[in-house]
Amino acid sequence: MWGCFNAAYVIYLSFASRVLEQGGFGALEAAATISLASWVMIVSGAICGQIADRTGRSDAILYFCLVVAMAALALLPHTGFAVPLALAFGLIGMAPAGLIMALTGQAVAPERRAFGMGVFFSVFFVFTAPTPTIAGWLYDRTGDPVWPILFAIALFGLTLL
């Protein structure tokens, strides 16, 4: 889950600005717009965690946030909405990072947690490492940055599962 989530975010960072450039943005304007998501997610994770702790609805919040992330990516080619989409992606779509990490601690008993976290991070890196290459291959094959974004949407879909 953590691997899919992070891989989708890396693909967003790598290809979303190209989608905006394809829609008429200059390179600097596109990169600045896409970076908004990273700036706002600095606080969104803490806010999301507070809301989840207070409501006890972590699963519903996680699903909602992932659907917002997928929708923001799917709508990205509509470049007139680039700023609100980048903000929605960062504020809501990326907010459940802490919730996902907390699941790992819940899944492994305390007496086996060190080993469990070792397995967790090994699988994370084995899974996450090839995904930018796959996204780049999609871009190279099609010449269209929307294809890597569709791959990121699929990775968020796998995170939902």
Side-chain angles (χ1 to χ4, degrees):
M1 184 178 191
W2 185 238
C4 290
F5 184 80
N6 277 276
Y9 176 60
V10 168
I11 293 168
Y12 167 82
L13 292 176
S14 301
F15 292 96
S17 62
R18 291 180 187 251
V19 172
L20 297 185
E21 287 176 45
Q22 185 172 280
F25 279 57
L28 184 60
E29 182 186 16
T33 301
I34 293 308
S35 77
L36 291 172
S38 297
W39 286 105
V40 297
M41 68 186 264
I42 292 170
V43 296
S44 72
I47 294 168
C48 183
Q50 280 288 87
I51 293 169
D53 284 346
R54 290 176 189 247
T55 63
R57 309 256 339 219
S58 295
D59 287 349
I61 291 168
L62 178 62
Y63 294 136
F64 173 75
C65 290
L66 291 171
V67 168
V68 169
M70 294 165 69
L73 290 179
L75 294 171
L76 195 58
H78 302 284
T79 56
F81 300 102
V83 170
L85 290 171
L87 291 172
F89 183 78
L91 278 173
I92 301 168
M94 296 307 295
L99 297 179
I100 295 170
M101 283 302 293
L103 291 172
T104 306
Q106 293 172 6
V108 182
E111 62 273 6
R112 292 188 308 276
R113 196 159 291 149
F115 175 75
M117 291 305 290
V119 171
F120 169 81
F121 278 109
S122 295
V123 171
F124 166 76
F125 287 117
V126 165
F127 180 81
T128 306
T131 54
T133 303
I134 295 167
W137 178 82
L138 288 168
Y139 178 68
D140 288 345
R141 296 284 292 168
T142 65
D144 188 350
V146 171
W147 282 97
I149 296 299
L150 293 173
F151 179 46
I153 292 169
L155 289 168
F156 278 127
L158 287 172
T159 304
L160 278 171
L161 294 176

